Amino acid sequence: MSIPNGGLITETNRQYYAGAQQKYITTAGAGQTITSTFDTPLIFGSSDVSNNSYLLNSFKIFTSPNALTWTELTSDAAVSTTTMLAPAAGVALGTSQTIVILIANTNVVPGMLIKNSTGTITYGSVTSVTSSTTFICNITVAIPALIAGVALRLNSPSPWAMLTANIITIASYLAANTYIKIQLNQDVINQNYGSYEYTRLTDVIDNFLIAYVGAGKIIPSVKRTDVIFHAKRGLQEFSYDTLKSTRSQELSVNNALSIIIPQDYVNYVRLSWTDGLGVQHTIYPANELTTNPSSSPVQDSLGVPTQDSQDANIQGTSQTEAAWAGNDPRRISGAFKREDIEANVLINGQYDALLGQRYGLEPQTSQKNGWFTINETEGTFNFSSELKNQIIILEYISDGNAYDLDMRIPKMAEDALYAHIVHAIVATSANVQEYIVRRFKQERSAKLRNAKIRLSNIKLDQIIQVMRGKSKWIK
Amino acid sequence: MAINVNTVYQTVLLILNKEQRGYMTPVEFNRTGEQAQLEIFETYFESLNQQLRIPQADADFSDRVTTLDEKISLFKEFGSAISISSSNVFNLPQQYSGLLSALSLTTSLPNTGTITTNNNATTTTQLSLATANTSIQVGMTVTGVGIVGDVTITFVTNDQLVTLSSAQTIAANTSLTYTSPLVYTISANAAGQTVTANQVDNSVVEIYASGTLVSATDYSVSGLTITFYVQPALNRILTVNVYPKQFYKLGSSFYTSGALPAQEIERVDASSLYHMLSSNLTQPTVTYPIYTFKNNQLTVYPTSITSGITLSYMRRPLNPVWDFTVSNNAYVFNPLTSFDFELHPAEQTELILKILLYAGVVIKDPQIVQIAASQIAQENQNQQR
């Protein structure tokens, strides 16, 4: 079904796949509008490509005579730029100078800048259009007496604008029987792909208020703020252990052996380094091996911390951190050189030479992938020295509330979120019988369990593939 | 839908006269009528609250919540809140003060008739009439033999030379029909009084065609423009009465920005405002804005919202007016300057009883008061059982 027809899908095929929405211009003129019906609200900075805010735009505007060949509508585009013949006598300075041209030009609209033919001198701007041959202009640089027939160049510095949300007003003159198109930027299109998998938190809140709150229901009235609070808290809790909300960053470990904790970080899932084949090798937390002390006060000869002129303890450099950064991890792990082993290469010669000589290893520290610690004081992950200049993959979880786009819940867990909100509200309301609270507590628990099972993505084919190993002979 | 003020007054007089209790003057009636109407109106909200807590019968005409809502719906309004100096503080939809009496704003004469072209045929936009006609006006539509498409009069010279909106081929001595447009603009009345489009939008409008009330379903009013769905009869003088709406209760508030979906604005009190503004999870956003209501002004948060606020609100019923002219030393009802009770027609009985109750007080007859009070009590008991 290509056209939305009352279901949950509200974008056309073109809007979803191509990120484009077009409109046929039936009547010529300036100031026409096109209203965006994308699910994603448009972001507008400027339509002037020379303005830095142009980079803020989440979309571009195109025009076309036939809906096949499209041209971006910028201040230099054909539609927003036109030429006219300058009056032979020139035009003096003035805020309401009348310019009469010989050949009618319907493309001239108020706001256009009047320039010389090469665009190097700006004479002023058009303030109003009397007719297709007569314009009232604000001339700030006198137009010299020119030989009749020399062209002036006019362009709209801002050929279009979004004056109110999602409504684009085209300042330029558009001819009849042409097309105008909103084209989303590729990153915006990508963000929208797969969005049907989710329900936005705003929809959850609205749906909850409609379906669960009202006269004759368990919750006769509730402040919307309470629903927002519990919905966001629910999303946070679900993010930690139920949702597939793992984020990841690929980073390079610098000479200081540290990377900064991401802005939306809540907890890590895994840190790993990648080898030449792109295979991940898990890096383990140093845990009991070392730590990053939160402070290292300088002490006097009696061991008492000393203070600076502001009465605060003077901080020194951590000797533990320095020692850890400078150590050879192989002295702890007894490992082979990490470089010798890649995911699909096993250099048997190395193993064979040491066969039977490696008894008594501490299993907890017998690994070759390196260690990391979390330095809470500086907000960094710190790594052991063999990971210097390695590519690190940091997988972590956020809380689903960091950015607007995060505030959505997989449809598999939507019902669990409703159950969470209703339980949270009845549990904190006065005069609700305890058995009702318990009922919703159980409902929340059951629905959350269902959501976890659904989101764990256990597929029959994968189980079969794993179970094929059962018939393998163990020698 | 309203209760005819003359019917109520005559019924009250009839009962009073039958009981030989005395006479109630129009002034007394208007005052007690206003009091009775407000009293009934005030009971709606408490009754609705009470009924919402009781399970209702889901059957036509018996659901008390629906019935009450129907009575209240007559006074529900939508209006745009007006930002003060482009800030996040908004005034209520425009409440224009002034006399409750009617402003008589007379429009042009709606009429229709025939014109005849002279001895010359035409193929242009110019049409010469055989005789001058002072009734023809710019904007009128012209139909007849030779006229193709929607043709209107764009210019009239000396009541005889007519310019049409498009060139037509019309034979000599052809009879054509002209008709007034269905769209009129409210202009100043004879006394020079004017109203603005905003005032009209925030008022109850009544239109009389030469003294006869035009059904509200026959026209719509938007700003100063009246569009008739049914052409008023020939040569009627239109009188437009504009009664300002008086704000009573604030309902829901909405914020609309461009083509984005409208969002309801939540009302909060001052004590929770500051906690909400500093809370990281519940601070107001343009998706979920909030407002405080103080001194008939809304302060909306986040403060970036400076326009696009629409309010649903309840207005007070307009005061009833039984107006009259004096003829042969008798009061003669004048419908043109009178105004009906705005309550739902179902309230007619209770309204009359309440006015009778006040009439009993006015004429100092405890028996009338007692009878009326007992009837009202009985009715209320039935409604709330």
Short mmCIF file of all heavy atoms in Angstrom, two decimals, chain A residues 350-403:
data_model
loop_
_atom_site.label_atom_id
_atom_site.label_comp_id
_atom_site.label_asym_id
_atom_site.label_seq_id
_atom_site.Cartn_x
_atom_site.Cartn_y
_atom_site.Cartn_z
N GLN A 350 54.57 -21.61 18.34
CA GLN A 350 54.69 -20.93 19.63
C GLN A 350 54.11 -21.79 20.74
O GLN A 350 54.69 -21.92 21.81
CB GLN A 350 53.96 -19.59 19.57
CG GLN A 350 54.56 -18.61 18.59
CD GLN A 350 55.30 -17.49 19.29
OE1 GLN A 350 55.33 -17.44 20.51
NE2 GLN A 350 55.96 -16.63 18.52
N TYR A 351 52.92 -22.34 20.47
CA TYR A 351 52.26 -23.14 21.50
C TYR A 351 53.05 -24.43 21.76
O TYR A 351 53.26 -24.85 22.89
CB TYR A 351 50.84 -23.51 21.06
CG TYR A 351 49.89 -22.37 21.19
CD1 TYR A 351 49.54 -21.61 20.10
CD2 TYR A 351 49.33 -22.07 22.43
CE1 TYR A 351 48.66 -20.55 20.22
CE2 TYR A 351 48.45 -21.00 22.56
CZ TYR A 351 48.11 -20.25 21.44
OH TYR A 351 47.25 -19.23 21.58
N ASP A 352 53.49 -25.00 20.60
CA ASP A 352 54.18 -26.29 20.73
C ASP A 352 55.44 -26.16 21.59
O ASP A 352 55.76 -27.03 22.39
CB ASP A 352 54.55 -26.83 19.35
CG ASP A 352 53.30 -27.18 18.55
OD1 ASP A 352 52.22 -27.27 19.19
OD2 ASP A 352 53.38 -27.34 17.32
N ALA A 353 56.14 -25.05 21.41
CA ALA A 353 57.40 -24.86 22.14
C ALA A 353 57.18 -24.80 23.63
O ALA A 353 58.05 -25.16 24.42
CB ALA A 353 58.07 -23.59 21.65
N LEU A 354 56.02 -24.29 24.01
CA LEU A 354 55.76 -24.11 25.44
C LEU A 354 54.85 -25.19 26.01
O LEU A 354 54.38 -25.08 27.12
CB LEU A 354 55.11 -22.73 25.67
CG LEU A 354 56.00 -21.55 25.26
CD1 LEU A 354 55.19 -20.27 25.27
CD2 LEU A 354 57.17 -21.43 26.21
N LEU A 355 54.60 -26.19 25.20
CA LEU A 355 53.65 -27.24 25.61
C LEU A 355 54.11 -27.88 26.92
O LEU A 355 55.26 -28.28 27.06
CB LEU A 355 53.56 -28.29 24.50
CG LEU A 355 52.32 -29.19 24.53
CD1 LEU A 355 51.07 -28.37 24.35
CD2 LEU A 355 52.43 -30.25 23.43
N GLY A 356 53.21 -27.97 27.84
CA GLY A 356 53.53 -28.63 29.09
C GLY A 356 54.31 -27.78 30.07
O GLY A 356 54.70 -28.25 31.13
N GLN A 357 54.57 -26.50 29.78
CA GLN A 357 55.38 -25.67 30.66
C GLN A 357 54.57 -24.57 31.37
O GLN A 357 55.14 -23.73 32.04
CB GLN A 357 56.49 -24.99 29.85
CG GLN A 357 57.45 -25.96 29.22
CD GLN A 357 58.52 -25.23 28.43
OE1 GLN A 357 58.88 -24.12 28.75
NE2 GLN A 357 59.03 -25.88 27.39
N ARG A 358 53.29 -24.56 31.19
CA ARG A 358 52.53 -23.41 31.69
C ARG A 358 51.54 -23.82 32.78
O ARG A 358 50.39 -23.42 32.77
CB ARG A 358 51.82 -22.70 30.53
CG ARG A 358 52.82 -22.11 29.54
CD ARG A 358 52.12 -21.55 28.32
NE ARG A 358 51.27 -20.41 28.64
CZ ARG A 358 51.72 -19.18 28.84
NH1 ARG A 358 53.01 -18.93 28.79
NH2 ARG A 358 50.89 -18.22 29.10
N TYR A 359 51.99 -24.61 33.73
CA TYR A 359 51.13 -24.99 34.84
C TYR A 359 51.06 -23.86 35.86
O TYR A 359 51.98 -23.03 35.94
CB TYR A 359 51.64 -26.26 35.51
CG TYR A 359 51.60 -27.46 34.61
CD1 TYR A 359 52.75 -27.96 34.04
CD2 TYR A 359 50.38 -28.05 34.29
CE1 TYR A 359 52.71 -29.04 33.18
CE2 TYR A 359 50.33 -29.13 33.45
CZ TYR A 359 51.50 -29.63 32.89
OH TYR A 359 51.46 -30.68 32.05
N GLY A 360 50.01 -23.83 36.65
CA GLY A 360 49.93 -22.90 37.77
C GLY A 360 49.57 -21.48 37.41
O GLY A 360 49.79 -20.56 38.17
N LEU A 361 49.01 -21.26 36.25
CA LEU A 361 48.58 -19.91 35.86
C LEU A 361 47.37 -19.48 36.68
O LEU A 361 46.55 -20.32 37.08
CB LEU A 361 48.22 -19.87 34.39
CG LEU A 361 49.38 -19.89 33.39
CD1 LEU A 361 48.81 -19.92 32.00
CD2 LEU A 361 50.24 -18.66 33.57
N GLU A 362 47.25 -18.19 36.90
CA GLU A 362 46.04 -17.64 37.54
C GLU A 362 45.02 -17.40 36.41
O GLU A 362 45.23 -16.50 35.58
CB GLU A 362 46.37 -16.34 38.25
CG GLU A 362 45.18 -15.57 38.80
CD GLU A 362 44.46 -16.36 39.88
OE1 GLU A 362 45.11 -16.85 40.84
OE2 GLU A 362 43.23 -16.49 39.74
N PRO A 363 43.97 -18.16 36.32
CA PRO A 363 43.05 -18.04 35.17
C PRO A 363 42.48 -16.64 35.01
O PRO A 363 42.27 -16.17 33.90
CB PRO A 363 41.95 -19.06 35.47
CG PRO A 363 42.56 -20.01 36.45
CD PRO A 363 43.56 -19.22 37.23
N GLN A 364 42.25 -15.98 36.14
CA GLN A 364 41.62 -14.65 36.07
C GLN A 364 42.49 -13.65 35.31
O GLN A 364 41.98 -12.76 34.64
CB GLN A 364 41.36 -14.16 37.49
CG GLN A 364 40.53 -12.90 37.54
CD GLN A 364 40.37 -12.40 38.97
OE1 GLN A 364 40.65 -13.11 39.91
NE2 GLN A 364 39.89 -11.18 39.11
N THR A 365 43.78 -13.81 35.40
CA THR A 365 44.68 -12.83 34.75
C THR A 365 45.36 -13.40 33.53
O THR A 365 46.15 -12.71 32.88
CB THR A 365 45.75 -12.36 35.75
OG1 THR A 365 46.49 -13.52 36.20
CG2 THR A 365 45.13 -11.64 36.93
N SER A 366 45.05 -14.64 33.19
CA SER A 366 45.72 -15.25 32.05
C SER A 366 45.00 -14.96 30.76
O SER A 366 44.26 -15.79 30.23
CB SER A 366 45.81 -16.77 32.27
OG SER A 366 46.54 -17.05 33.42
N GLN A 367 45.15 -13.76 30.30
CA GLN A 367 44.56 -13.39 29.03
C GLN A 367 45.45 -12.35 28.36
O GLN A 367 46.21 -11.66 29.01
CB GLN A 367 43.12 -12.87 29.22
CG GLN A 367 42.95 -11.77 30.23
CD GLN A 367 43.04 -10.40 29.60
OE1 GLN A 367 42.95 -10.26 28.39
NE2 GLN A 367 43.23 -9.39 30.43
N LYS A 368 45.34 -12.29 27.06
CA LYS A 368 46.30 -11.50 26.29
C LYS A 368 45.69 -10.23 25.72
O LYS A 368 46.31 -9.52 24.94
CB LYS A 368 46.84 -12.34 25.14
CG LYS A 368 45.76 -12.77 24.16
CD LYS A 368 46.27 -13.75 23.17
CE LYS A 368 45.22 -14.13 22.15
NZ LYS A 368 43.94 -14.53 22.73
N ASN A 369 44.43 -9.91 26.07
CA ASN A 369 43.74 -8.80 25.41
C ASN A 369 43.89 -7.46 26.11
O ASN A 369 43.44 -6.44 25.62
CB ASN A 369 42.25 -9.11 25.28
CG ASN A 369 42.02 -10.26 24.32
OD1 ASN A 369 42.78 -10.42 23.36
ND2 ASN A 369 41.01 -11.07 24.59
N GLY A 370 44.49 -7.46 27.28
CA GLY A 370 44.69 -6.21 27.99
C GLY A 370 43.59 -5.93 29.00
O GLY A 370 42.60 -6.67 29.09
N TRP A 371 43.82 -4.86 29.78
CA TRP A 371 42.88 -4.51 30.84
C TRP A 371 42.45 -3.06 30.73
O TRP A 371 43.17 -2.24 30.12
CB TRP A 371 43.53 -4.71 32.21
CG TRP A 371 43.63 -6.14 32.62
CD1 TRP A 371 42.63 -6.93 33.08
CD2 TRP A 371 44.81 -6.93 32.62
NE1 TRP A 371 43.09 -8.18 33.38
CE2 TRP A 371 44.44 -8.22 33.10
CE3 TRP A 371 46.14 -6.71 32.26
CZ2 TRP A 371 45.33 -9.26 33.24
CZ3 TRP A 371 47.04 -7.75 32.41
CH2 TRP A 371 46.65 -9.02 32.87
N PHE A 372 41.33 -2.78 31.32
CA PHE A 372 40.92 -1.38 31.41
C PHE A 372 40.46 -1.06 32.81
O PHE A 372 40.02 -1.96 33.56
CB PHE A 372 39.82 -1.04 30.39
CG PHE A 372 38.47 -1.60 30.74
CD1 PHE A 372 37.58 -0.89 31.54
CD2 PHE A 372 38.06 -2.85 30.28
CE1 PHE A 372 36.33 -1.41 31.85
CE2 PHE A 372 36.83 -3.37 30.60
CZ PHE A 372 35.95 -2.65 31.39
N THR A 373 40.55 0.21 33.15
CA THR A 373 39.96 0.70 34.40
C THR A 373 39.12 1.92 34.07
O THR A 373 39.29 2.53 33.00
CB THR A 373 41.06 1.14 35.41
OG1 THR A 373 41.87 2.14 34.78
CG2 THR A 373 41.91 -0.04 35.83
N ILE A 374 38.21 2.25 34.97
CA ILE A 374 37.41 3.46 34.78
C ILE A 374 37.87 4.50 35.79
O ILE A 374 37.81 4.25 37.00
CB ILE A 374 35.90 3.18 34.96
CG1 ILE A 374 35.45 2.12 33.95
CG2 ILE A 374 35.09 4.46 34.80
CD1 ILE A 374 34.01 1.69 34.12
N ASN A 375 38.37 5.60 35.26
CA ASN A 375 38.83 6.67 36.13
C ASN A 375 37.67 7.65 36.34
O ASN A 375 37.40 8.51 35.51
CB ASN A 375 40.02 7.39 35.48
CG ASN A 375 40.66 8.40 36.41
OD1 ASN A 375 40.02 8.87 37.36
ND2 ASN A 375 41.92 8.72 36.17
N GLU A 376 36.95 7.49 37.45
CA GLU A 376 35.76 8.32 37.71
C GLU A 376 36.14 9.78 37.93
O GLU A 376 35.36 10.68 37.64
CB GLU A 376 35.01 7.79 38.94
CG GLU A 376 34.49 6.37 38.81
CD GLU A 376 33.27 6.26 37.92
OE1 GLU A 376 32.79 7.30 37.45
OE2 GLU A 376 32.81 5.12 37.67
N THR A 377 37.35 10.01 38.43
CA THR A 377 37.76 11.39 38.70
C THR A 377 37.91 12.18 37.41
O THR A 377 37.48 13.33 37.29
CB THR A 377 39.10 11.40 39.46
OG1 THR A 377 39.00 10.49 40.54
CG2 THR A 377 39.43 12.78 39.97
N GLU A 378 38.51 11.54 36.41
CA GLU A 378 38.75 12.25 35.16
C GLU A 378 37.71 11.92 34.09
O GLU A 378 37.71 12.52 33.01
CB GLU A 378 40.16 11.90 34.63
CG GLU A 378 41.26 12.39 35.56
CD GLU A 378 42.64 12.02 35.06
OE1 GLU A 378 42.75 11.46 33.95
OE2 GLU A 378 43.60 12.28 35.79
N GLY A 379 36.82 10.97 34.36
CA GLY A 379 35.78 10.61 33.40
C GLY A 379 36.36 9.92 32.17
O GLY A 379 35.98 10.23 31.05
N THR A 380 37.28 8.99 32.40
CA THR A 380 37.90 8.30 31.26
C THR A 380 37.96 6.79 31.49
O THR A 380 37.88 6.32 32.63
CB THR A 380 39.35 8.78 31.05
OG1 THR A 380 40.07 8.60 32.27
CG2 THR A 380 39.40 10.23 30.63
N PHE A 381 38.07 6.07 30.37
CA PHE A 381 38.47 4.66 30.43
C PHE A 381 39.98 4.65 30.26
O PHE A 381 40.51 5.28 29.32
CB PHE A 381 37.84 3.87 29.29
CG PHE A 381 36.39 3.56 29.47
CD1 PHE A 381 35.43 4.31 28.82
CD2 PHE A 381 35.99 2.53 30.30
CE1 PHE A 381 34.09 4.03 28.99
CE2 PHE A 381 34.66 2.24 30.47
CZ PHE A 381 33.69 3.00 29.81
N ASN A 382 40.69 3.96 31.12
CA ASN A 382 42.15 3.84 30.99
C ASN A 382 42.50 2.41 30.62
O ASN A 382 41.84 1.47 31.08
CB ASN A 382 42.84 4.22 32.30
CG ASN A 382 42.73 5.72 32.55
OD1 ASN A 382 42.11 6.45 31.77
ND2 ASN A 382 43.30 6.17 33.65
N PHE A 383 43.53 2.27 29.81
CA PHE A 383 43.89 0.94 29.30
C PHE A 383 45.30 0.58 29.68
O PHE A 383 46.15 1.45 29.95
CB PHE A 383 43.73 0.92 27.77
CG PHE A 383 42.32 1.17 27.34
CD1 PHE A 383 41.88 2.45 27.05
CD2 PHE A 383 41.42 0.12 27.26
CE1 PHE A 383 40.57 2.69 26.67
CE2 PHE A 383 40.11 0.35 26.89
CZ PHE A 383 39.68 1.64 26.59
N SER A 384 45.58 -0.71 29.64
CA SER A 384 46.94 -1.17 29.90
C SER A 384 47.80 -0.87 28.67
O SER A 384 47.29 -0.66 27.56
CB SER A 384 46.96 -2.65 30.27
OG SER A 384 46.20 -3.39 29.35
N SER A 385 49.11 -0.88 28.87
CA SER A 385 50.01 -0.27 27.89
C SER A 385 50.03 -0.96 26.53
O SER A 385 50.31 -0.32 25.52
CB SER A 385 51.42 -0.22 28.47
OG SER A 385 51.83 -1.54 28.80
N GLU A 386 49.74 -2.27 26.48
CA GLU A 386 49.83 -2.92 25.17
C GLU A 386 48.70 -2.51 24.23
O GLU A 386 48.72 -2.85 23.05
CB GLU A 386 49.86 -4.45 25.31
CG GLU A 386 48.50 -5.10 25.47
CD GLU A 386 48.10 -5.21 26.92
OE1 GLU A 386 48.29 -4.21 27.65
OE2 GLU A 386 47.58 -6.26 27.32
N LEU A 387 47.74 -1.76 24.75
CA LEU A 387 46.63 -1.32 23.89
C LEU A 387 46.88 0.06 23.27
O LEU A 387 46.00 0.62 22.61
CB LEU A 387 45.32 -1.31 24.68
CG LEU A 387 44.81 -2.71 25.06
CD1 LEU A 387 43.72 -2.62 26.10
CD2 LEU A 387 44.31 -3.43 23.82
N LYS A 388 48.05 0.60 23.49
CA LYS A 388 48.36 1.92 22.93
C LYS A 388 48.18 1.89 21.41
O LYS A 388 48.63 0.97 20.74
CB LYS A 388 49.79 2.33 23.29
CG LYS A 388 50.14 3.74 22.86
CD LYS A 388 51.62 4.02 22.99
CE LYS A 388 52.07 4.09 24.42
NZ LYS A 388 53.50 4.40 24.54
N ASN A 389 47.49 2.90 20.90
CA ASN A 389 47.24 3.07 19.46
C ASN A 389 46.37 1.97 18.84
O ASN A 389 46.31 1.83 17.62
CB ASN A 389 48.55 3.17 18.67
CG ASN A 389 49.36 4.36 19.12
OD1 ASN A 389 48.80 5.39 19.47
ND2 ASN A 389 50.68 4.22 19.15
N GLN A 390 45.75 1.18 19.68
CA GLN A 390 44.85 0.15 19.15
C GLN A 390 43.47 0.74 18.89
O GLN A 390 43.09 1.76 19.48
CB GLN A 390 44.70 -1.00 20.16
CG GLN A 390 45.92 -1.90 20.26
CD GLN A 390 46.16 -2.64 18.96
OE1 GLN A 390 45.22 -3.04 18.28
NE2 GLN A 390 47.42 -2.80 18.58
N ILE A 391 42.75 0.09 17.99
CA ILE A 391 41.36 0.48 17.75
C ILE A 391 40.49 -0.23 18.78
O ILE A 391 40.55 -1.45 18.93
CB ILE A 391 40.92 0.09 16.33
CG1 ILE A 391 41.80 0.78 15.29
CG2 ILE A 391 39.45 0.44 16.11
CD1 ILE A 391 41.74 2.29 15.33
N ILE A 392 39.71 0.57 19.47
CA ILE A 392 38.89 0.06 20.56
C ILE A 392 37.42 0.18 20.18
O ILE A 392 36.99 1.20 19.62
CB ILE A 392 39.11 0.90 21.84
CG1 ILE A 392 40.56 0.81 22.30
CG2 ILE A 392 38.17 0.49 22.95
CD1 ILE A 392 40.94 -0.52 22.87
N ILE A 393 36.64 -0.84 20.48
CA ILE A 393 35.18 -0.72 20.34
C ILE A 393 34.61 -0.65 21.75
O ILE A 393 34.82 -1.56 22.56
CB ILE A 393 34.57 -1.92 19.61
CG1 ILE A 393 35.18 -2.08 18.21
CG2 ILE A 393 33.05 -1.78 19.53
CD1 ILE A 393 34.76 -1.03 17.23
N LEU A 394 33.92 0.46 22.02
CA LEU A 394 33.27 0.62 23.32
C LEU A 394 31.77 0.43 23.13
O LEU A 394 31.13 1.20 22.42
CB LEU A 394 33.57 2.02 23.88
CG LEU A 394 32.71 2.48 25.07
CD1 LEU A 394 32.85 1.54 26.24
CD2 LEU A 394 33.11 3.89 25.48
N GLU A 395 31.25 -0.63 23.71
CA GLU A 395 29.80 -0.85 23.66
C GLU A 395 29.23 -0.48 25.02
O GLU A 395 29.76 -0.93 26.04
CB GLU A 395 29.49 -2.31 23.33
CG GLU A 395 29.92 -2.71 21.92
CD GLU A 395 29.97 -4.22 21.76
OE1 GLU A 395 28.91 -4.82 21.72
OE2 GLU A 395 31.08 -4.76 21.69
N TYR A 396 28.19 0.32 25.02
CA TYR A 396 27.66 0.80 26.29
C TYR A 396 26.16 1.00 26.17
O TYR A 396 25.59 0.97 25.07
CB TYR A 396 28.35 2.10 26.70
CG TYR A 396 28.08 3.28 25.78
CD1 TYR A 396 27.11 4.22 26.09
CD2 TYR A 396 28.80 3.43 24.61
CE1 TYR A 396 26.86 5.29 25.26
CE2 TYR A 396 28.56 4.50 23.76
CZ TYR A 396 27.59 5.42 24.09
OH TYR A 396 27.35 6.47 23.26
N ILE A 397 25.52 1.19 27.31
CA ILE A 397 24.09 1.48 27.28
C ILE A 397 23.84 2.91 27.74
O ILE A 397 24.57 3.45 28.57
CB ILE A 397 23.26 0.51 28.15
CG1 ILE A 397 23.84 0.41 29.56
CG2 ILE A 397 23.15 -0.85 27.50
CD1 ILE A 397 22.97 -0.37 30.52
N SER A 398 22.79 3.51 27.16
CA SER A 398 22.34 4.82 27.59
C SER A 398 21.01 4.62 28.32
O SER A 398 20.62 3.48 28.59
CB SER A 398 22.20 5.74 26.38
OG SER A 398 21.91 7.05 26.81
N ASP A 399 20.30 5.70 28.60
CA ASP A 399 19.04 5.53 29.34
C ASP A 399 17.81 5.85 28.50
O ASP A 399 16.71 5.92 29.01
CB ASP A 399 19.05 6.38 30.61
CG ASP A 399 19.04 7.86 30.32
OD1 ASP A 399 19.17 8.23 29.13
OD2 ASP A 399 18.89 8.65 31.26
N GLY A 400 18.00 6.06 27.19
CA GLY A 400 16.84 6.30 26.33
C GLY A 400 16.28 7.70 26.45
O GLY A 400 15.25 8.02 25.86
N ASN A 401 16.93 8.54 27.23
CA ASN A 401 16.40 9.89 27.41
C ASN A 401 17.37 10.96 26.94
O ASN A 401 17.11 12.15 27.11
CB ASN A 401 16.08 10.14 28.89
CG ASN A 401 14.73 9.58 29.27
OD1 ASN A 401 13.76 10.29 29.45
ND2 ASN A 401 14.67 8.26 29.37
N ALA A 402 18.49 10.54 26.39
CA ALA A 402 19.55 11.51 26.08
C ALA A 402 19.14 12.47 24.97
O ALA A 402 19.32 13.67 25.07
CB ALA A 402 20.83 10.77 25.71
N TYR A 403 18.58 11.94 23.90
CA TYR A 403 18.21 12.76 22.75
C TYR A 403 16.76 12.49 22.37
O TYR A 403 16.20 11.45 22.72
CB TYR A 403 19.12 12.46 21.56
CG TYR A 403 20.57 12.78 21.83
CD1 TYR A 403 21.48 11.78 22.13
CD2 TYR A 403 21.01 14.10 21.82
CE1 TYR A 403 22.80 12.07 22.41
CE2 TYR A 403 22.34 14.40 22.10
CZ TYR A 403 23.23 13.39 22.39
OH TYR A 403 24.52 13.70 22.68
#
